[in-house]
Amino acid sequence: MDPLSLAIAGALAAGVATAAGESAGAALPTLWRRVRERFAGRETPVPEAEAEIATALDEEFTRDPSFRQECETLWNQAAHGGAANSFHGQAKNVVQTGEIHGGLTMQ
């Protein structure tokens, strides 16, 4: 089973995403909304049990890797206080910062 499926399922089953902590910002509620939207209109909506959520997410991630990537980005944002570096491709330099108070010069 995909570790991301298990992590998200644990948070959703525990209700963390619906009453997300302030440190997670909007990432967990957004993730929860995206999961609900993904399963909307299906015969069975998002399950409530952690194992069932994990299985459903795992199947959906296999079916649609871009949805997995979107969920992973939101999960990482929540885990890192709303900022996550999700980079795909090649680059000479990649910079990630938090809040900057004052000037910033890069050359």
XYZ file of all heavy atoms in Angstrom:
789
model
N 0.854 -1.184 0.000
C 0.000 0.000 0.000
C 0.891 1.235 0.000
O 1.913 1.284 0.658
C -0.901 -0.047 1.235
C -1.722 1.181 1.410
S -3.530 1.116 1.393
C -4.038 -0.508 1.152
N 0.455 2.227 -0.721
C 1.170 3.495 -0.845
C 1.203 4.199 0.521
O 0.158 4.403 1.140
C 0.426 4.362 -1.867
C 1.125 5.653 -2.201
O 1.837 6.202 -1.341
O 0.953 6.134 -3.332
N 2.395 4.585 0.999
C 2.484 5.272 2.298
C 1.673 6.565 2.343
O 1.145 6.932 3.394
C 3.976 5.559 2.449
C 4.666 4.611 1.539
C 3.698 4.331 0.422
N 1.557 7.240 1.214
C 0.770 8.472 1.179
C -0.699 8.163 1.429
O -1.373 8.890 2.167
C 0.955 9.197 -0.160
C 0.207 10.511 -0.307
C 0.719 11.549 0.704
C 0.351 11.051 -1.724
N -1.204 7.088 0.844
C -2.594 6.681 1.068
C -2.839 6.440 2.548
O -3.853 6.876 3.100
C -2.922 5.392 0.306
O -2.757 5.547 -1.065
N -1.901 5.745 3.194
C -2.043 5.440 4.617
C -2.015 6.703 5.467
O -2.822 6.858 6.396
C -0.930 4.483 5.056
C -0.987 3.083 4.440
C 0.291 2.319 4.759
C -2.213 2.339 4.942
N -1.117 7.621 5.147
C -0.997 8.853 5.926
C -2.261 9.707 5.802
O -2.795 10.194 6.803
C 0.232 9.637 5.477
N -2.713 9.880 4.589
C -3.908 10.698 4.364
C -5.120 10.023 4.999
O -5.940 10.681 5.643
C -4.132 10.951 2.860
C -3.018 11.847 2.308
C -5.501 11.579 2.615
C -3.037 11.992 0.801
N -5.232 8.722 4.828
C -6.364 7.993 5.404
C -6.398 8.148 6.917
O -7.473 8.335 7.504
C -6.292 6.515 5.026
N -5.242 8.082 7.552
C -5.186 8.254 9.001
C -5.680 9.620 9.424
O -6.451 9.751 10.386
N -5.260 10.647 8.710
C -5.687 12.016 9.031
C -7.178 12.201 8.787
O -7.884 12.799 9.605
C -4.884 13.022 8.207
N -7.667 11.669 7.679
C -9.085 11.829 7.356
C -9.957 11.062 8.339
O -10.982 11.564 8.796
C -9.369 11.384 5.925
C -8.687 12.186 4.824
C -9.060 11.642 3.455
C -9.037 13.652 4.906
N -9.552 9.834 8.668
C -10.342 9.027 9.589
C -10.376 9.644 10.981
O -11.372 9.544 11.689
C -9.785 7.607 9.650
N -9.291 10.296 11.355
C -9.222 10.924 12.676
C -9.942 12.267 12.708
O -10.078 12.876 13.763
C -7.765 11.106 13.081
N -10.370 12.743 11.550
C -11.061 14.019 11.489
C -10.132 15.209 11.503
O -10.571 16.339 11.620
N -8.836 14.960 11.356
C -7.856 16.039 11.392
C -8.085 17.018 10.254
O -7.987 18.224 10.423
C -6.423 15.465 11.335
C -5.398 16.560 11.166
C -6.144 14.661 12.579
N -8.424 16.505 9.088
C -8.548 17.372 7.920
C -9.759 18.284 8.010
O -9.748 19.376 7.470
C -8.621 16.533 6.655
N -10.791 17.858 8.691
C -11.984 18.693 8.753
C -11.859 19.803 9.778
O -12.520 20.818 9.686
C -13.229 17.835 9.048
O -13.012 17.140 10.265
C -13.496 16.864 7.929
N -10.998 19.609 10.767
C -10.759 20.649 11.772
C -9.256 20.858 11.875
O -8.668 20.754 12.924
C -11.349 20.217 13.107
N -8.644 21.138 10.741
C -7.182 21.194 10.658
C -6.594 22.214 11.613
O -7.168 23.275 11.835
C -6.762 21.537 9.235
N -5.458 21.861 12.151
C -4.742 22.779 13.035
C -4.269 23.996 12.272
O -4.077 23.970 11.064
N -4.076 25.071 12.988
C -3.664 26.317 12.364
C -2.324 26.195 11.658
O -2.087 26.834 10.643
C -3.608 27.423 13.414
C -4.973 27.799 13.944
C -4.896 28.866 15.015
O -3.879 29.567 15.098
O -5.873 28.998 15.764
N -1.454 25.328 12.167
C -0.134 25.205 11.550
C -0.200 24.593 10.160
O 0.696 24.779 9.354
C 0.786 24.356 12.437
O 0.305 23.031 12.499
N -1.255 23.874 9.869
C -1.389 23.251 8.556
C -1.994 24.204 7.536
O -2.021 23.905 6.361
C -2.246 21.990 8.653
N -2.477 25.338 7.979
C -3.077 26.297 7.063
C -4.284 25.690 6.366
O -5.047 24.950 6.960
N -4.432 26.003 5.099
C -5.582 25.525 4.338
C -5.317 24.214 3.629
O -6.207 23.674 2.986
C -5.974 26.585 3.312
N -4.123 23.670 3.741
C -3.762 22.491 2.963
C -4.602 21.267 3.300
O -5.091 20.585 2.395
C -2.280 22.178 3.132
N -4.797 20.961 4.577
C -5.581 19.769 4.915
C -7.054 19.910 4.550
O -7.623 18.985 3.975
C -5.414 19.404 6.392
C -4.131 18.650 6.714
C -4.042 18.378 8.214
C -4.006 17.356 5.946
N -7.702 21.041 4.850
C -9.090 21.173 4.388
C -9.198 21.096 2.862
O -10.147 20.532 2.337
C -9.517 22.549 4.904
C -8.627 22.801 6.074
C -7.317 22.145 5.720
N -8.227 21.650 2.164
C -8.234 21.573 0.704
C -8.062 20.129 0.247
O -8.751 19.664 -0.668
C -7.124 22.457 0.099
O -7.357 23.811 0.499
C -7.100 22.367 -1.414
N -7.175 19.411 0.886
C -6.967 17.996 0.559
C -8.244 17.209 0.796
O -8.665 16.424 -0.056
C -5.821 17.426 1.402
C -5.548 15.935 1.268
C -5.201 15.556 -0.165
C -4.425 15.523 2.202
N -8.875 17.426 1.932
C -10.126 16.734 2.247
C -11.196 17.048 1.207
O -11.916 16.165 0.742
C -10.581 17.119 3.647
C -11.880 16.538 4.116
C -12.901 17.216 4.679
C -12.299 15.172 4.085
N -13.930 16.363 5.001
C -13.588 15.103 4.637
C -11.719 14.002 3.623
C -14.307 13.910 4.753
C -12.429 12.807 3.729
C -13.698 12.773 4.295
N -11.292 18.328 0.806
C -12.271 18.722 -0.209
C -11.984 18.024 -1.539
O -12.887 17.515 -2.195
C -12.271 20.249 -0.399
C -13.401 20.718 -1.323
C -13.344 22.216 -1.604
N -12.323 22.478 -2.611
C -11.172 23.107 -2.403
N -10.870 23.582 -1.223
N -10.312 23.293 -3.366
N -10.716 17.972 -1.933
C -10.339 17.326 -3.210
C -10.656 15.837 -3.192
O -11.116 15.292 -4.185
C -8.855 17.547 -3.507
C -8.525 18.963 -3.897
C -9.149 19.362 -5.240
N -8.616 18.516 -6.295
C -9.352 17.827 -7.174
N -10.672 17.889 -7.139
N -8.782 17.089 -8.084
N -10.436 15.183 -2.064
C -10.759 13.754 -1.958
C -12.273 13.564 -2.055
O -12.748 12.696 -2.795
C -10.194 13.152 -0.653
C -10.739 11.751 -0.413
C -8.669 13.132 -0.696
N -13.039 14.374 -1.332
C -14.508 14.272 -1.419
C -14.991 14.516 -2.842
O -15.866 13.808 -3.346
C -15.163 15.278 -0.471
C -15.198 14.839 0.956
C -16.164 15.696 1.787
N -16.306 17.055 1.323
C -15.775 18.127 1.908
N -15.063 17.999 3.000
N -15.963 19.330 1.427
N -14.424 15.535 -3.518
C -14.818 15.818 -4.907
C -14.508 14.637 -5.814
O -15.286 14.318 -6.712
C -14.081 17.058 -5.420
C -14.549 18.352 -4.815
C -13.644 19.534 -5.170
O -12.606 19.354 -5.846
O -13.985 20.646 -4.749
N -13.364 14.002 -5.577
C -12.946 12.875 -6.418
C -13.931 11.723 -6.319
O -14.190 11.029 -7.295
C -11.544 12.435 -6.005
C -10.966 11.248 -6.762
C -10.951 11.438 -8.272
N -10.088 12.486 -8.703
C -9.122 12.364 -9.600
N -8.892 11.206 -10.176
N -8.402 13.397 -9.953
N -14.500 11.516 -5.135
C -15.400 10.385 -4.926
C -16.875 10.778 -5.047
O -17.745 9.923 -4.936
C -15.124 9.734 -3.570
C -13.815 8.990 -3.548
C -12.648 9.637 -3.173
C -13.746 7.667 -3.933
C -11.429 8.969 -3.168
C -12.532 6.984 -3.941
C -11.377 7.636 -3.553
N -17.149 12.052 -5.279
C -18.536 12.518 -5.403
C -19.208 11.855 -6.596
O -18.600 11.628 -7.642
C -18.568 14.033 -5.561
N -20.461 11.534 -6.433
C -21.236 10.955 -7.519
C -21.022 9.457 -7.696
O -21.665 8.835 -8.531
N -20.149 8.882 -6.925
C -19.929 7.438 -7.004
C -20.959 6.728 -6.144
O -21.561 7.318 -5.257
C -18.519 7.079 -6.539
C -17.474 7.648 -7.454
C -16.117 7.163 -7.080
N -15.125 7.770 -7.964
C -13.860 7.470 -7.950
N -13.397 6.569 -7.109
N -13.026 8.063 -8.779
N -21.127 5.458 -6.432
C -22.079 4.662 -5.670
C -21.763 4.711 -4.173
O -22.651 4.823 -3.344
C -22.046 3.220 -6.167
C -23.132 2.355 -5.578
C -23.155 0.996 -6.220
O -23.202 0.929 -7.455
O -23.122 0.011 -5.470
N -20.481 4.616 -3.851
C -20.066 4.741 -2.460
C -19.174 5.961 -2.328
O -18.161 6.066 -3.001
C -19.296 3.491 -1.978
O -18.295 3.173 -2.927
C -20.208 2.319 -1.786
N -19.562 6.917 -1.474
C -18.716 8.104 -1.275
C -17.447 7.711 -0.518
O -17.189 6.539 -0.285
C -19.609 9.026 -0.455
C -20.578 8.120 0.232
C -20.755 6.933 -0.669
N -16.696 8.685 -0.091
C -15.465 8.418 0.647
C -15.816 7.573 1.868
O -16.692 7.948 2.651
C -14.794 9.729 1.102
C -13.519 9.430 1.871
C -14.498 10.625 -0.079
N -15.162 6.427 2.031
C -15.441 5.596 3.210
C -15.043 6.318 4.494
O -14.339 7.318 4.460
C -14.555 4.359 2.994
C -13.963 4.482 1.645
C -14.153 5.878 1.175
N -15.483 5.790 5.631
C -15.168 6.419 6.906
C -14.051 5.701 7.649
O -13.322 6.332 8.406
C -16.415 6.501 7.774
C -17.445 7.461 7.199
C -18.660 7.608 8.089
O -18.570 7.280 9.290
O -19.693 8.052 7.582
N -13.909 4.397 7.433
C -12.881 3.634 8.144
C -11.517 3.872 7.503
O -11.392 3.941 6.279
C -13.215 2.149 8.111
N -10.499 3.995 8.342
C -9.154 4.310 7.874
C -8.658 3.330 6.806
O -8.147 3.742 5.762
C -8.194 4.333 9.054
C -6.784 4.731 8.684
C -5.877 4.857 9.886
O -6.369 4.931 11.028
O -4.665 4.887 9.681
N -8.823 2.028 7.039
C -8.342 1.024 6.077
C -9.069 1.146 4.746
O -8.459 1.004 3.676
C -8.502 -0.382 6.649
N -10.365 1.431 4.793
C -11.148 1.571 3.557
C -10.755 2.838 2.799
O -10.704 2.848 1.575
C -12.638 1.576 3.874
C -13.143 0.247 4.402
C -14.570 0.330 4.895
O -15.097 1.455 5.083
O -15.171 -0.741 5.103
N -10.495 3.917 3.535
C -10.045 5.162 2.893
C -8.710 4.918 2.211
O -8.508 5.304 1.053
C -9.912 6.314 3.911
C -11.265 6.679 4.518
C -9.291 7.550 3.251
C -11.181 7.625 5.706
N -7.788 4.260 2.913
C -6.462 3.986 2.352
C -6.564 3.146 1.094
O -5.899 3.424 0.089
C -5.579 3.295 3.389
N -7.398 2.130 1.112
C -7.572 1.265 -0.058
C -8.161 2.052 -1.228
O -7.681 1.950 -2.357
C -8.473 0.063 0.284
O -7.845 -0.699 1.317
C -8.708 -0.819 -0.924
N -9.197 2.865 -0.946
C -9.825 3.656 -2.011
C -8.838 4.659 -2.599
O -8.768 4.830 -3.829
C -11.058 4.381 -1.464
N -8.065 5.323 -1.741
C -7.065 6.277 -2.234
C -5.982 5.567 -3.033
O -5.563 6.059 -4.081
C -6.437 7.048 -1.073
C -7.279 8.156 -0.468
C -6.603 8.715 0.777
C -7.528 9.262 -1.480
N -5.530 4.426 -2.535
C -4.497 3.670 -3.231
C -4.953 3.316 -4.644
O -4.200 3.472 -5.610
C -4.152 2.408 -2.431
C -2.759 1.911 -2.714
O -1.825 2.734 -2.688
O -2.606 0.710 -2.966
N -6.184 2.858 -4.776
C -6.735 2.520 -6.099
C -6.830 3.760 -6.980
O -6.511 3.714 -8.168
C -8.099 1.863 -5.939
C -8.032 0.489 -5.321
C -9.396 -0.081 -4.952
O -10.432 0.604 -5.168
O -9.423 -1.208 -4.416
N -7.263 4.877 -6.389
C -7.397 6.111 -7.166
C -6.033 6.652 -7.586
O -5.868 7.145 -8.699
C -8.163 7.162 -6.348
C -8.679 8.304 -7.163
C -9.682 7.881 -8.233
O -10.406 6.892 -8.066
O -9.735 8.576 -9.266
N -5.037 6.555 -6.717
C -3.685 7.011 -7.047
C -3.095 6.176 -8.184
O -2.384 6.702 -9.036
C -2.768 6.945 -5.834
C -3.076 7.958 -4.759
C -2.516 7.813 -3.502
C -3.906 9.043 -4.975
C -2.779 8.740 -2.495
C -4.183 9.966 -3.982
C -3.618 9.813 -2.738
N -3.392 4.881 -8.189
C -2.920 4.014 -9.271
C -3.602 4.382 -10.581
O -2.975 4.434 -11.630
C -3.195 2.530 -8.935
O -2.492 2.206 -7.734
C -2.739 1.615 -10.051
N -4.886 4.677 -10.495
C -5.673 5.030 -11.674
C -5.285 6.408 -12.228
O -5.283 6.618 -13.436
C -7.157 5.013 -11.289
C -8.115 4.961 -12.419
C -9.589 4.824 -12.021
N -9.949 4.820 -10.619
C -10.219 3.718 -9.901
N -10.158 2.535 -10.460
N -10.564 3.808 -8.628
N -4.946 7.342 -11.345
C -4.663 8.716 -11.776
C -3.448 9.274 -11.022
O -3.597 9.888 -9.956
C -5.889 9.590 -11.527
C -5.729 11.007 -12.043
O -4.624 11.377 -12.510
O -6.719 11.770 -11.977
N -2.234 9.074 -11.558
C -1.027 9.563 -10.889
C -1.011 11.076 -10.668
O -0.402 11.553 -9.709
C 0.101 9.136 -11.830
C -0.463 7.994 -12.610
C -1.933 8.294 -12.749
N -1.687 11.841 -11.505
C -1.701 13.290 -11.306
C -2.502 13.653 -10.055
O -2.178 14.622 -9.366
C -2.242 14.016 -12.533
O -3.604 13.719 -12.740
N -3.539 12.899 -9.746
C -4.295 13.121 -8.514
C -3.421 12.790 -7.306
O -3.431 13.510 -6.311
C -5.578 12.278 -8.498
C -6.390 12.439 -7.247
C -6.962 13.659 -6.919
C -6.586 11.367 -6.393
C -7.715 13.809 -5.761
C -7.340 11.506 -5.238
C -7.910 12.726 -4.919
N -2.626 11.733 -7.419
C -1.699 11.391 -6.340
C -0.723 12.538 -6.106
O -0.458 12.925 -4.978
C -0.930 10.107 -6.639
C -0.054 9.697 -5.463
C 1.019 8.682 -5.838
N 1.711 8.224 -4.650
C 2.617 8.934 -3.974
N 2.929 10.157 -4.354
N 3.197 8.451 -2.898
N -0.190 13.094 -7.199
C 0.770 14.194 -7.084
C 0.133 15.403 -6.426
O 0.731 16.054 -5.577
C 1.331 14.561 -8.461
C 2.375 15.659 -8.416
C 3.573 15.271 -7.576
O 4.126 14.193 -7.747
N 3.973 16.127 -6.655
N -1.097 15.704 -6.801
C -1.810 16.829 -6.196
C -1.995 16.598 -4.691
O -1.753 17.497 -3.874
C -3.177 16.999 -6.866
C -4.013 18.106 -6.288
C -5.393 18.202 -6.904
O -5.764 17.369 -7.761
O -6.125 19.124 -6.501
N -2.405 15.393 -4.321
C -2.596 15.069 -2.905
C -1.274 15.099 -2.148
O -1.214 15.588 -1.017
C -3.255 13.696 -2.763
S -4.992 13.675 -3.255
N -0.219 14.627 -2.776
C 1.091 14.648 -2.130
C 1.554 16.080 -1.872
O 2.087 16.394 -0.801
C 2.119 13.909 -2.976
C 3.491 13.850 -2.341
C 4.486 13.023 -3.132
O 4.312 12.876 -4.361
O 5.434 12.525 -2.518
N 1.334 16.947 -2.827
C 1.711 18.355 -2.655
C 0.948 18.979 -1.491
O 1.533 19.648 -0.642
C 1.461 19.137 -3.961
O 2.281 18.595 -4.987
C 1.764 20.617 -3.786
N -0.362 18.748 -1.440
C -1.170 19.289 -0.345
C -0.743 18.691 0.998
O -0.670 19.395 2.003
C -2.654 19.028 -0.599
C -3.270 19.852 -1.724
C -4.641 19.312 -2.101
C -3.351 21.317 -1.328
N -0.456 17.399 1.013
C -0.009 16.737 2.246
C 1.310 17.346 2.725
O 1.481 17.617 3.903
C 0.125 15.238 2.004
C 0.524 14.498 3.239
C 1.751 13.972 3.530
C -0.299 14.208 4.368
N 1.736 13.383 4.757
C 0.493 13.510 5.300
C -1.626 14.480 4.676
C -0.005 13.071 6.523
C -2.119 14.039 5.906
C -1.317 13.346 6.804
N 2.231 17.553 1.804
C 3.524 18.139 2.165
C 3.376 19.570 2.666
O 4.068 19.984 3.586
C 4.495 18.084 0.987
C 4.991 16.690 0.713
O 4.989 15.829 1.594
N 5.397 16.435 -0.512
N 2.477 20.322 2.061
C 2.230 21.687 2.525
C 1.720 21.676 3.953
O 2.150 22.476 4.782
C 1.223 22.395 1.622
C 1.780 22.783 0.277
C 0.719 23.355 -0.643
O -0.467 23.315 -0.343
N 1.142 23.848 -1.788
N 0.815 20.771 4.247
C 0.271 20.678 5.597
C 1.350 20.250 6.592
O 1.434 20.794 7.691
C -0.888 19.686 5.622
N 2.184 19.322 6.178
C 3.226 18.800 7.067
C 4.324 19.822 7.333
O 5.003 19.760 8.347
C 3.826 17.534 6.469
N 4.494 20.769 6.423
C 5.568 21.755 6.549
C 5.025 23.157 6.798
O 5.605 24.143 6.374
C 6.461 21.735 5.303
C 7.160 20.435 5.125
N 6.698 19.463 4.268
C 8.255 19.925 5.727
C 7.494 18.421 4.343
N 8.441 18.668 5.220
N 3.893 23.230 7.460
C 3.340 24.530 7.837
C 2.861 25.362 6.672
O 2.895 26.575 6.712
N 2.419 24.728 5.605
C 1.853 25.454 4.480
C 2.809 25.707 3.342
O 2.433 26.242 2.324
N 4.076 25.317 3.483
C 5.039 25.506 2.397
C 5.661 24.165 2.056
O 6.074 23.426 2.934
C 6.134 26.472 2.811
N 5.688 23.850 0.790
C 6.316 22.606 0.353
C 6.991 22.844 -0.977
O 6.496 23.576 -1.820
C 5.284 21.494 0.212
N 8.122 22.242 -1.150
C 8.846 22.340 -2.404
C 8.545 21.090 -3.201
O 8.997 20.009 -2.869
C 10.351 22.473 -2.132
C 11.132 22.766 -3.392
O 10.560 22.889 -4.465
N 12.432 22.886 -3.255
N 7.741 21.235 -4.221
C 7.390 20.109 -5.078
C 7.922 20.425 -6.462
O 7.285 21.101 -7.249
C 5.871 19.939 -5.112
O 5.528 18.844 -5.916
N 9.111 19.940 -6.755
C 9.796 20.285 -7.998
C 9.903 19.054 -8.882
O 10.265 17.982 -8.418
C 11.195 20.831 -7.693
C 11.969 21.190 -8.921
C 11.736 22.379 -9.579
C 12.911 20.321 -9.445
C 12.434 22.707 -10.714
C 13.614 20.641 -10.581
C 13.375 21.838 -11.218
N 9.595 19.227 -10.159
C 9.700 18.135 -11.124
C 10.445 18.667 -12.342
O 10.079 19.686 -12.899
C 8.310 17.645 -11.534
C 7.498 17.200 -10.376
N 7.635 15.972 -9.805
C 6.570 17.843 -9.637
C 6.821 15.865 -8.786
N 6.160 17.000 -8.667
N 11.489 17.990 -12.729
C 12.253 18.433 -13.886
C 13.701 18.660 -13.521
O 14.213 18.128 -12.542
N 14.365 19.490 -14.306
C 15.768 19.779 -14.075
C 15.957 21.275 -13.896
O 15.296 22.079 -14.541
C 16.613 19.311 -15.260
C 16.578 17.812 -15.452
C 17.433 17.372 -16.630
O 17.887 18.178 -17.409
N 17.641 16.080 -16.735
N 16.869 21.617 -13.001
C 17.185 23.026 -12.775
C 18.585 23.117 -12.212
O 19.067 22.196 -11.552
C 16.194 23.658 -11.803
N 19.225 24.223 -12.471
C 20.556 24.447 -11.907
C 20.439 24.742 -10.417
O 21.192 24.221 -9.608
C 21.245 25.599 -12.631
C 22.650 25.853 -12.144
C 23.314 26.946 -12.954
C 24.702 27.209 -12.410
N 25.356 28.298 -13.114
N 19.470 25.578 -10.048
C 19.258 25.959 -8.652
C 17.762 25.999 -8.359
O 16.979 26.445 -9.184
C 19.833 27.352 -8.362
C 21.324 27.402 -8.561
O 22.055 26.615 -7.978
N 21.763 28.316 -9.401
N 17.404 25.573 -7.177
C 16.029 25.677 -6.693
C 16.105 26.267 -5.290
O 16.892 25.809 -4.466
C 15.333 24.301 -6.648
C 13.932 24.428 -6.060
C 15.280 23.690 -8.039
N 15.308 27.303 -5.030
C 15.327 27.969 -3.738
C 13.922 27.949 -3.158
O 12.951 28.227 -3.852
C 15.804 29.436 -3.876
C 15.745 30.157 -2.540
C 17.194 29.485 -4.469
N 13.843 27.628 -1.869
C 12.570 27.694 -1.167
C 12.793 28.498 0.096
O 13.778 28.298 0.802
C 12.079 26.299 -0.795
C 10.802 26.334 0.005
C 10.290 24.941 0.342
O 10.706 23.964 -0.243
N 9.394 24.865 1.301
N 11.881 29.415 0.373
C 11.995 30.212 1.590
C 10.668 30.212 2.326
O 9.625 29.883 1.753
C 12.370 31.672 1.295
O 11.266 32.310 0.664
C 13.599 31.772 0.435
N 10.726 30.622 3.547
C 9.521 30.892 4.317
C 9.247 32.373 4.210
O 9.491 32.989 3.168
N 8.827 32.960 5.311
C 8.568 34.391 5.304
C 9.879 35.158 5.226
O 10.865 34.788 5.853
C 7.841 34.797 6.578
C 6.428 34.293 6.639
C 5.708 34.785 7.878
O 5.968 35.930 8.311
O 4.911 34.018 8.409
N 9.865 36.225 4.458
C 11.035 37.097 4.351
C 10.602 38.485 4.796
O 9.643 39.038 4.273
C 11.570 37.149 2.900
C 12.028 35.764 2.473
C 12.691 38.168 2.784
C 12.436 35.667 1.023
N 11.312 39.007 5.751
C 11.030 40.362 6.243
C 12.229 41.219 5.882
O 13.306 41.028 6.407
C 10.806 40.360 7.756
C 9.666 39.478 8.176
N 8.362 39.886 8.100
C 9.646 38.198 8.630
C 7.591 38.910 8.512
N 8.330 37.866 8.834
N 12.043 42.102 4.940
C 13.149 42.905 4.464
C 13.468 42.533 3.030
O 12.693 41.864 2.356
N 14.620 42.917 2.555
C 14.995 42.689 1.164
C 15.590 41.300 0.933
O 16.034 40.636 1.860
N 15.598 40.927 -0.301
C 16.209 39.668 -0.715
C 16.830 39.902 -2.078
O 16.163 40.346 -3.008
C 15.176 38.555 -0.809
C 15.661 37.227 -1.372
C 16.660 36.571 -0.409
C 14.493 36.291 -1.624
N 18.125 39.627 -2.189
C 18.807 39.763 -3.461
C 19.465 38.441 -3.791
O 20.171 37.867 -2.950
C 19.885 40.870 -3.395
O 19.243 42.098 -3.001
C 20.566 41.048 -4.726
N 19.257 37.973 -5.001
C 19.901 36.728 -5.442
C 20.554 37.002 -6.790
O 19.958 37.633 -7.645
C 18.852 35.614 -5.562
C 18.243 35.292 -4.239
S 16.887 34.087 -4.196
C 17.086 33.099 -5.602
N 21.756 36.548 -6.919
C 22.473 36.756 -8.186
C 23.072 35.472 -8.663
O 23.416 34.609 -7.957
C 23.542 37.801 -8.021
C 22.946 39.132 -7.665
C 24.019 40.198 -7.504
O 25.204 39.957 -7.662
N 23.607 41.398 -7.187
